[in-house]
Amino acid sequence: MPTVEVSDLADGVFLLDVREDDEWQAGHAEGALHIPISDFVARYGELTEAAPQDGKVHVICRSGGRSAQVAMYLVQQGIDAVNVDGGMQVWAAAGRPVVNAEGQSGFVL
C-alpha cells in the first residue's frame, strides 16, 4: 500500500477525508474533500469530479486504517492514491491546521 508521511505533504495537496460526519464536523484539514467511508462507493463520482486529473489523491482518516482501505480501492481503480500514515491524529500533532464545520479551530475526534 503506497503511503506518505504527513511531514512529506506539501501545502495544498488534494486530500480525501473518509471519516464519518461527526469526526469531520469536529475537525478536518481545510480544503479536504469529505466522503465518509460508509458512503464511498455510492459517492465515488464526487471524487472523480473533484480529484486532479494528473495528480495524487491523498487519503486520510483518524489514524490510517480506513484510509488505507480506500486508497487500496482507488489504486485498484487506476487512480494514483496514497494513504496518509497516521491520519488526522498525526496531522494535528504536527501542527497542521484543523478546522471544524464552522471554519473555526477544530479538533480530531
Side-chain angles (χ1 to χ4, degrees), residues 4-88:
V4 64
E5 301 292 325
V6 168
S7 59
D8 293 332
L9 292 176
D11 290 339
V13 298
F14 184 82
L15 276 176
L16 169 64
D17 190 322
V18 297
R19 296 174 303 143
E20 295 303 320
D21 289 336
D22 60 335
E23 296 172 287
W24 169 265
Q25 291 170 4
H28 57 271
E30 193 169 14
L33 173 65
H34 178 231
I35 304 176
I37 192 170
S38 58
D39 296 338
F40 188 76
V41 174
R43 295 176 56 190
Y44 179 74
E46 292 176 40
L47 171 67
T48 58
E49 287 179 19
Q53 296 302 312
D54 56 354
K56 271 192 194 334
V57 174
H58 300 84
V59 189
I60 197 165
C61 67
R62 182 173 185 265
S63 61
R66 290 173 284 179
S67 54
Q69 293 174 30
V70 172
M72 186 175 299
Y73 174 80
L74 292 174
V75 167
Q76 291 170 347
Q77 305 308 308
I79 293 176
D80 187 7
V82 295
N83 183 38
V84 178
D85 193 38
M88 285 299 298

